Coordinates of all heavy atoms in Angstrom, one line a residue:
M829 N 6.1 -22.6 -7.9 CA 6.1 -21.2 -7.7 C 5.2 -20.8 -6.5 O 4.0 -21.3 -6.5 CB 5.8 -20.4 -8.9 CG 5.9 -18.9 -8.8 SD 5.6 -18.2 -10.4 CE 4.9 -16.7 -9.9
D830 N 5.6 -20.1 -5.6 CA 4.8 -19.7 -4.4 C 4.1 -18.4 -4.8 O 4.7 -17.4 -5.1 CB 5.8 -19.5 -3.2 CG 5.1 -19.8 -1.9 OD1 4.0 -20.4 -2.0 OD2 5.7 -19.4 -0.9
R831 N 2.8 -18.4 -4.7 CA 2.0 -17.2 -5.0 C 1.5 -16.6 -3.7 O 0.8 -17.3 -3.0 CB 0.8 -17.6 -5.9 CG 1.2 -17.9 -7.3 CD 0.0 -18.0 -8.1 NE 0.4 -18.2 -9.5 CZ -0.4 -18.4 -10.5 NH1 -1.7 -18.5 -10.3 NH2 0.0 -18.5 -11.7
V832 N 1.7 -15.4 -3.5 CA 1.2 -14.6 -2.4 C 0.2 -13.6 -3.0 O 0.6 -12.7 -3.7 CB 2.3 -13.9 -1.6 CG1 1.7 -13.1 -0.5 CG2 3.3 -14.9 -1.1
F833 N -1.1 -13.9 -2.7 CA -2.1 -13.0 -3.3 C -2.3 -11.7 -2.5 O -2.3 -11.8 -1.2 CB -3.5 -13.7 -3.3 CG -3.5 -14.8 -4.4 CD1 -3.2 -16.1 -4.2 CD2 -3.8 -14.4 -5.7 CE1 -3.2 -17.0 -5.2 CE2 -3.9 -15.3 -6.7 CZ -3.6 -16.7 -6.5
V834 N -2.3 -10.6 -3.2 CA -2.5 -9.3 -2.5 C -4.0 -9.0 -2.6 O -4.6 -8.6 -1.7 CB -1.7 -8.2 -3.3 CG1 -2.0 -6.9 -2.7 CG2 -0.2 -8.5 -3.1
C835 N -4.6 -9.2 -3.8 CA -6.0 -8.9 -4.1 C -6.7 -10.2 -4.4 O -6.6 -10.7 -5.5 CB -6.1 -7.9 -5.2 SG -7.8 -7.5 -5.7
S836 N -7.5 -10.7 -3.4 CA -8.2 -11.9 -3.7 C -9.4 -11.7 -4.5 O -9.9 -12.6 -5.2 CB -8.6 -12.6 -2.3 OG -9.4 -11.7 -1.6
C837 N -9.9 -10.5 -4.6 CA -11.1 -10.2 -5.5 C -10.8 -10.4 -6.9 O -11.6 -10.9 -7.7 CB -11.6 -8.8 -5.3 SG -12.2 -8.4 -3.6
F838 N -9.6 -10.1 -7.3 CA -9.2 -10.2 -8.7 C -8.0 -11.1 -9.0 O -7.5 -11.3 -10.1 CB -8.8 -8.8 -9.3 CG -10.0 -7.9 -9.4 CD1 -10.2 -6.9 -8.5 CD2 -11.0 -8.1 -10.3 CE1 -11.3 -6.0 -8.5 CE2 -12.2 -7.3 -10.4 CZ -12.3 -6.3 -9.5
G839 N -7.6 -11.8 -7.9 CA -6.5 -12.8 -8.0 C -5.2 -12.2 -8.4 O -4.4 -12.8 -9.1
I840 N -4.9 -11.0 -7.9 CA -3.6 -10.3 -8.2 C -2.6 -10.7 -7.1 O -2.8 -10.6 -5.9 CB -3.8 -8.8 -8.2 CG1 -4.9 -8.4 -9.2 CG2 -2.5 -8.1 -8.6 CD1 -4.7 -8.8 -10.6
T841 N -1.4 -11.2 -7.6 CA -0.3 -11.6 -6.7 C 0.6 -10.4 -6.4 O 0.6 -9.4 -7.1 CB 0.5 -12.7 -7.3 OG1 1.1 -12.2 -8.5 CG2 -0.4 -13.9 -7.7
E842 N 1.4 -10.7 -5.4 CA 2.4 -9.7 -5.0 C 3.4 -9.5 -6.1 O 3.8 -8.3 -6.4 CB 3.2 -10.3 -3.8 CG 4.0 -9.3 -3.0 CD 4.6 -9.9 -1.8 OE1 3.9 -9.9 -0.8 OE2 5.7 -10.4 -1.8
Q843 N 3.7 -10.5 -6.8 CA 4.7 -10.4 -8.0 C 4.1 -9.6 -9.1 O 4.8 -8.7 -9.7 CB 5.0 -11.8 -8.5 CG 6.0 -11.8 -9.6 CD 7.4 -11.2 -9.2 OE1 7.8 -11.4 -8.1 NE2 8.0 -10.5 -10.1
Q844 N 2.8 -9.7 -9.3 CA 2.1 -8.9 -10.4 C 2.2 -7.4 -10.0 O 2.4 -6.5 -10.8 CB 0.7 -9.3 -10.6 CG 0.6 -10.6 -11.3 CD -0.8 -11.2 -11.4 OE1 -1.4 -11.4 -10.4 NE2 -1.3 -11.3 -12.6
V845 N 1.9 -7.1 -8.7 CA 1.9 -5.7 -8.3 C 3.4 -5.1 -8.4 O 3.5 -4.0 -8.9 CB 1.5 -5.6 -6.8 CG1 1.7 -4.2 -6.2 CG2 0.0 -5.9 -6.7
K846 N 4.4 -5.9 -8.1 CA 5.7 -5.5 -8.2 C 6.1 -5.3 -9.7 O 6.8 -4.3 -10.0 CB 6.7 -6.5 -7.6 CG 6.6 -6.5 -6.1 CD 7.5 -7.6 -5.5 CE 7.4 -7.7 -4.0 NZ 8.3 -8.7 -3.4
Q847 N 5.6 -6.1 -10.6 CA 5.9 -5.9 -12.0 C 5.2 -4.6 -12.5 O 5.9 -3.9 -13.3 CB 5.3 -7.1 -12.8 CG 6.2 -8.4 -12.6 CD 5.5 -9.6 -13.3 OE1 4.4 -9.6 -13.6 NE2 6.3 -10.6 -13.4
H848 N 4.0 -4.3 -12.1 CA 3.4 -3.1 -12.5 C 4.2 -1.9 -11.9 O 4.3 -0.9 -12.6 CB 1.9 -3.0 -12.0 CG 1.0 -4.0 -12.8 ND1 0.8 -3.9 -14.2 CD2 0.3 -5.0 -12.4 CE1 0.0 -4.8 -14.5 NE2 -0.3 -5.5 -13.5
A849 N 4.7 -2.0 -10.7 CA 5.5 -1.0 -10.1 C 6.8 -0.7 -10.9 O 7.1 0.4 -11.1 CB 5.8 -1.3 -8.7
E850 N 7.4 -1.8 -11.3 CA 8.6 -1.7 -12.1 C 8.3 -1.1 -13.5 O 9.2 -0.4 -14.1 CB 9.2 -3.1 -12.3 CG 9.9 -3.6 -11.0 CD 10.3 -5.1 -11.2 OE1 10.2 -5.7 -12.3 OE2 10.7 -5.6 -10.2
S851 N 7.1 -1.2 -13.9 CA 6.7 -0.6 -15.2 C 6.3 0.8 -15.1 O 5.8 1.4 -16.1 CB 5.6 -1.5 -15.9 OG 6.0 -2.8 -16.1
G852 N 6.3 1.3 -13.9 CA 6.0 2.8 -13.7 C 4.8 3.1 -12.8 O 4.6 4.3 -12.5
A853 N 4.0 2.1 -12.4 CA 2.9 2.4 -11.5 C 3.4 2.7 -10.1 O 4.0 1.8 -9.5 CB 1.9 1.3 -11.6
C854 N 3.3 3.9 -9.6 CA 3.9 4.2 -8.4 C 2.9 4.6 -7.3 O 3.3 5.0 -6.2 CB 5.0 5.2 -8.5 SG 4.5 6.7 -9.3
T855 N 1.6 4.5 -7.5 CA 0.6 4.8 -6.5 C -0.4 3.7 -6.6 O -0.6 3.0 -7.6 CB -0.1 6.1 -6.8 OG1 -0.9 6.0 -8.0 CG2 0.9 7.3 -6.9
P856 N -1.2 3.5 -5.5 CA -2.2 2.5 -5.5 C -3.2 2.7 -6.6 O -3.7 1.8 -7.2 CB -2.9 2.6 -4.1 CG -1.8 3.1 -3.3 CD -1.0 4.0 -4.2
R857 N -3.5 3.9 -6.9 CA -4.5 4.3 -8.0 C -3.9 3.8 -9.4 O -4.6 3.3 -10.2 CB -4.8 5.8 -8.1 CG -5.8 6.1 -9.1 CD -6.2 7.5 -9.0 NE -7.1 7.6 -7.8 CZ -7.7 8.6 -7.3 NH1 -7.6 9.8 -7.9 NH2 -8.4 8.6 -6.2
Q858 N -2.6 4.0 -9.6 CA -2.0 3.5 -10.9 C -2.0 2.0 -10.9 O -2.2 1.4 -12.0 CB -0.6 4.1 -11.0 CG -0.6 5.6 -11.3 CD 0.7 6.2 -11.2 OE1 1.7 5.7 -10.6 NE2 0.9 7.4 -11.8
I859 N -1.8 1.3 -9.8 CA -1.8 -0.1 -9.7 C -3.2 -0.6 -10.1 O -3.4 -1.5 -10.9 CB -1.4 -0.7 -8.4 CG1 0.1 -0.4 -8.1 CG2 -1.7 -2.2 -8.2 CD1 1.1 -1.1 -9.0
A860 N -4.2 0.1 -9.5 CA -5.6 -0.2 -9.8 C -5.9 -0.1 -11.3 O -6.6 -0.9 -11.9 CB -6.6 0.7 -9.0
S861 N -5.4 1.0 -11.9 CA -5.6 1.2 -13.3 C -5.0 0.1 -14.2 O -5.5 -0.3 -15.2 CB -5.1 2.5 -13.8 OG -5.8 3.6 -13.2
A862 N -3.9 -0.4 -13.7 CA -3.1 -1.5 -14.4 C -3.8 -2.8 -14.3 O -3.8 -3.6 -15.3 CB -1.7 -1.5 -14.0
C863 N -4.3 -3.2 -13.1 CA -4.8 -4.5 -12.9 C -6.1 -4.7 -12.1 O -6.4 -5.8 -11.8 CB -3.7 -5.4 -12.3 SG -3.2 -4.8 -10.6
K864 N -6.7 -3.6 -11.7 CA -7.9 -3.6 -10.9 C -7.8 -3.9 -9.4 O -8.7 -3.8 -8.7 CB -9.0 -4.5 -11.5 CG -9.4 -4.1 -12.9 CD -10.3 -5.2 -13.5 CE -11.8 -4.8 -13.3 NZ -12.7 -5.8 -14.0
A865 N -6.5 -4.2 -9.0 CA -6.3 -4.5 -7.6 C -6.7 -3.3 -6.7 O -6.3 -2.2 -7.1 CB -4.9 -4.9 -7.3
G866 N -7.5 -3.5 -5.7 CA -7.9 -2.4 -4.8 C -9.2 -1.7 -5.2 O -9.6 -0.8 -4.6
T867 N -9.8 -2.2 -6.3 CA -11.0 -1.4 -6.8 C -12.3 -2.1 -6.3 O -13.4 -1.5 -6.6 CB -11.0 -1.3 -8.3 OG1 -11.0 -2.6 -8.9 CG2 -9.8 -0.6 -8.8
D868 N -12.3 -3.3 -5.7 CA -13.5 -3.9 -5.3 C -13.8 -3.7 -3.8 O -14.3 -2.7 -3.4 CB -13.5 -5.4 -5.6 CG -14.9 -6.0 -5.6 OD1 -15.9 -5.3 -5.7 OD2 -15.0 -7.2 -5.4
C869 N -13.3 -4.5 -2.9 CA -13.5 -4.4 -1.5 C -12.6 -3.4 -0.8 O -12.9 -2.9 0.2 CB -13.5 -5.7 -0.8 SG -11.9 -6.4 -0.5
G870 N -11.4 -3.2 -1.4 CA -10.4 -2.3 -0.9 C -9.5 -2.8 0.2 O -8.7 -2.1 0.7
S871 N -9.7 -4.0 0.7 CA -8.9 -4.5 1.8 C -7.5 -4.7 1.4 O -6.6 -4.8 2.4 CB -9.5 -5.9 2.3 OG -9.4 -6.9 1.3
C872 N -7.1 -4.7 0.2 CA -5.7 -4.9 -0.2 C -4.9 -3.6 -0.4 O -3.7 -3.6 -0.6 CB -5.6 -5.7 -1.5 SG -6.4 -4.9 -2.9
V873 N -5.6 -2.5 -0.3 CA -4.9 -1.2 -0.6 C -3.7 -0.9 0.3 O -2.7 -0.5 -0.1 CB -5.9 0.0 -0.5 CG1 -5.3 1.3 -0.7 CG2 -7.0 -0.2 -1.6
R874 N -3.9 -1.2 1.6 CA -2.8 -1.0 2.6 C -1.6 -1.9 2.2 O -0.4 -1.5 2.3 CB -3.2 -1.3 4.0 CG -4.2 -0.3 4.5 CD -4.6 -0.6 5.9 NE -3.6 -0.4 6.9 CZ -3.2 0.7 7.6 NH1 -3.9 1.8 7.3 NH2 -2.3 0.7 8.5
R875 N -1.8 -3.1 1.7 CA -0.7 -4.0 1.3 C -0.1 -3.5 0.1 O 1.1 -3.5 -0.1 CB -1.3 -5.4 1.1 CG -0.3 -6.4 0.7 CD 0.7 -6.7 1.8 NE 1.8 -7.6 1.3 CZ 3.1 -7.5 1.6 NH1 3.5 -6.5 2.4 NH2 3.9 -8.3 1.1
I876 N -0.9 -3.0 -0.9 CA -0.3 -2.4 -2.1 C 0.5 -1.2 -1.7 O 1.6 -1.0 -2.3 CB -1.5 -2.0 -3.1 CG1 -2.2 -3.3 -3.6 CG2 -0.9 -1.2 -4.2 CD1 -3.4 -3.0 -4.3
Q877 N 0.1 -0.4 -0.8 CA 0.9 0.8 -0.4 C 2.2 0.3 0.2 O 3.2 0.9 -0.1 CB 0.1 1.6 0.7 CG -1.0 2.4 0.1 CD -1.9 3.0 1.2 OE1 -2.0 2.5 2.3 NE2 -2.4 4.2 0.9
A878 N 2.2 -0.7 1.0 CA 3.4 -1.3 1.6 C 4.4 -1.8 0.5 O 5.6 -1.5 0.6 CB 3.1 -2.3 2.6
L879 N 3.8 -2.5 -0.5 CA 4.7 -3.0 -1.5 C 5.3 -1.8 -2.3 O 6.4 -2.0 -2.9 CB 3.9 -3.9 -2.5 CG 3.5 -5.2 -1.9 CD1 2.5 -5.9 -2.8 CD2 4.7 -6.1 -1.7
L880 N 4.6 -0.7 -2.4 CA 5.1 0.4 -3.1 C 6.0 1.3 -2.3 O 6.6 2.3 -2.7 CB 4.0 1.3 -3.7 CG 3.1 0.6 -4.7 CD1 1.9 1.5 -5.0 CD2 3.8 0.3 -6.0
G881 N 6.2 0.9 -1.0 CA 7.0 1.7 -0.1 C 6.4 2.9 0.4 O 7.0 3.8 0.9
R882 N 5.0 2.9 0.4 CA 4.3 4.1 0.8 C 3.4 3.8 2.0 O 2.5 4.5 2.3 CB 3.4 4.6 -0.3 CG 4.2 4.8 -1.6 CD 3.3 5.2 -2.7 NE 3.7 6.5 -3.1 CZ 3.0 7.5 -3.3 NH1 1.7 7.5 -3.2 NH2 3.5 8.7 -3.7
G883 N 3.5 2.6 2.6 CA 2.6 2.1 3.6 C 2.7 2.8 4.9 O 3.8 3.3 5.3
A884 N 1.6 2.8 5.6 CA 1.7 3.2 7.0 C 2.3 2.1 7.9 O 2.3 1.0 7.5 CB 0.2 3.5 7.4
P885 N 2.8 2.5 9.0 CA 3.4 1.5 9.9 C 2.3 0.5 10.3 O 1.1 0.9 10.4 CB 3.9 2.3 11.1 CG 3.3 3.6 11.0 CD 2.9 3.8 9.6
P886 N 2.6 -0.7 10.6 CA 1.6 -1.7 11.1 C 0.9 -1.2 12.3 O 1.4 -0.4 13.1 CB 2.4 -2.9 11.4 CG 3.7 -2.8 10.7 CD 3.9 -1.3 10.5
R887 N -0.4 -1.6 12.4 CA -1.2 -1.1 13.6 C -0.5 -1.5 14.9 O 0.0 -2.6 15.0 CB -2.6 -1.7 13.5 CG -3.3 -1.1 12.4 CD -4.7 -1.7 12.4 NE -5.4 -1.2 11.2 CZ -6.6 -1.4 10.9 NH1 -7.4 -2.1 11.7 NH2 -7.2 -0.9 9.8
G888 N -0.5 -0.6 15.8 CA 0.0 -0.9 17.1 C 1.5 -0.5 17.2 O 2.0 -0.5 18.3
E889 N 2.1 -0.2 16.1 CA 3.5 0.2 16.2 C 3.6 1.7 16.6 O 2.8 2.5 16.1 CB 4.2 0.0 14.8 CG 5.6 0.3 14.8 CD 6.3 0.0 13.5 OE1 6.1 -1.2 13.0 OE2 6.9 0.8 12.9
L890 N 4.5 2.0 17.5 CA 4.7 3.4 18.0 C 5.3 4.2 16.9 O 6.2 3.9 16.2 CB 5.6 3.4 19.2 CG 5.9 4.7 19.8 CD1 4.6 5.4 20.3 CD2 6.9 4.6 20.9
V891 N 4.6 5.4 16.7 CA 5.1 6.3 15.7 C 5.6 7.5 16.4 O 4.9 8.1 17.2 CB 4.0 6.7 14.7 CG1 4.5 7.8 13.7 CG2 3.4 5.5 14.0
T892 N 6.9 7.9 16.2 CA 7.4 9.0 16.9 C 7.3 10.3 16.0 O 7.4 10.2 14.8 CB 8.9 8.8 17.2 OG1 9.6 8.6 16.0 CG2 9.1 7.7 18.2
R893 N 7.0 11.4 16.6 CA 6.8 12.6 15.9 C 8.0 13.5 16.1 O 8.5 13.6 17.2 CB 5.6 13.3 16.3 CG 4.3 12.6 16.0 CD 3.1 13.4 16.4 NE 1.9 12.6 16.1 CZ 0.7 13.1 16.2 NH1 0.5 14.3 16.5 NH2 -0.3 12.3 15.9
P894 N 8.4 14.3 15.1 CA 9.5 15.3 15.3 C 9.1 16.3 16.4 O 7.9 16.6 16.5 CB 9.6 15.9 13.9 CG 8.9 15.0 13.0 CD 7.9 14.3 13.7
A895 N 10.0 16.8 17.1 CA 9.8 17.8 18.2 C 9.0 19.0 17.7 O 8.1 19.5 18.4 CB 11.1 18.2 18.8
A896 N 9.2 19.4 16.5 CA 8.5 20.6 15.9 C 7.0 20.3 15.8 O 6.2 21.1 16.1 CB 9.1 21.0 14.6
A897 N 6.7 19.1 15.4 CA 5.3 18.7 15.2 C 4.6 18.6 16.6 O 3.5 19.0 16.7 CB 5.2 17.4 14.5
V898 N 5.3 18.1 17.6 CA 4.7 18.0 18.9 C 4.5 19.4 19.5 O 3.5 19.7 20.1 CB 5.7 17.2 19.8 CG1 5.2 17.2 21.3 CG2 5.8 15.8 19.3
A899 N 5.4 20.3 19.2 CA 5.3 21.7 19.7 C 4.0 22.4 19.0 O 3.3 23.1 19.7 CB 6.5 22.5 19.4
R900 N 3.8 22.1 17.7 CA 2.7 22.7 17.1 C 1.4 22.1 17.6 O 0.4 22.8 17.8 CB 2.7 22.4 15.6 CG 3.7 23.4 14.8 CD 3.5 23.3 13.3 NE 3.7 21.9 12.8 CZ 4.8 21.4 12.4 NH1 5.9 22.1 12.5 NH2 4.9 20.2 11.9
L901 N 1.4 20.8 18.0 CA 0.2 20.2 18.6 C -0.1 20.9 19.9 O -1.3 21.1 20.2 CB 0.4 18.7 18.8 CG 0.4 17.9 17.5 CD1 0.7 16.5 17.8 CD2 -1.0 18.0 16.8
G902 N 0.9 21.2 20.7 CA 0.7 21.9 22.0 C 0.2 23.3 21.8 O -0.7 23.7 22.6
E903 N 0.5 24.0 20.7 CA 0.1 25.3 20.5 C -1.4 25.3 20.1 O -2.1 26.3 20.4 CB 0.9 26.0 19.4 CG 2.3 26.3 19.8 CD 3.2 26.7 18.6 OE1 2.6 26.9 17.5 OE2 4.4 26.9 18.8
A904 N -1.8 24.3 19.4 CA -3.2 24.2 19.0 C -4.2 24.0 20.1 O -5.4 24.3 20.0 CB -3.4 23.1 17.9
A905 N -3.7 23.5 21.2 CA -4.7 23.1 22.3 C -5.1 24.3 23.1 O -4.8 25.4 23.0 CB -3.9 22.2 23.3

């Protein structure tokens, strides 16, 4: 079995995070309550967010904004 660790501080695998998500944990905080992942150094929180479908785009990836948001930014200047 191939193990992909998400949280090296507590030895939590990607599969374990997915199992907790299937059991109802739908936020990084709920995952942390279920298995402690993300509660020590915090470096795995972005990966947990991505596994939950709530992650930010990878760094360096262009993010496009809706025209209405761009217009509001122009008004604030």
Side-chain angles (χ1 to χ4, degrees):
M829 182 173 149
D830 209 13
R831 288 188 173 175
V832 177
F833 286 94
V834 173
C835 177
S836 58
C837 295
F838 294 105
I840 306 300
T841 65
E842 192 173 276
Q843 184 61 35
Q844 288 172 299
V845 171
K846 289 177 181 179
Q847 287 173 344
H848 289 299
E850 289 171 4
S851 297
C854 56
T855 66
R857 183 169 288 182
Q858 291 172 339
I859 295 291
S861 293
C863 64
K864 297 173 97 177
T867 62
D868 194 26
C869 76
S871 66
C872 61
V873 173
R874 290 178 69 87
R875 180 69 185 138
I876 292 168
Q877 288 174 326
L879 288 170
L880 296 173
R882 312 176 117 228
R887 291 182 185 186
E889 186 174 304
L890 179 63
V891 177
T892 58
R893 295 182 182 192
V898 172
R900 284 194 301 271
L901 287 174
E903 293 170 4

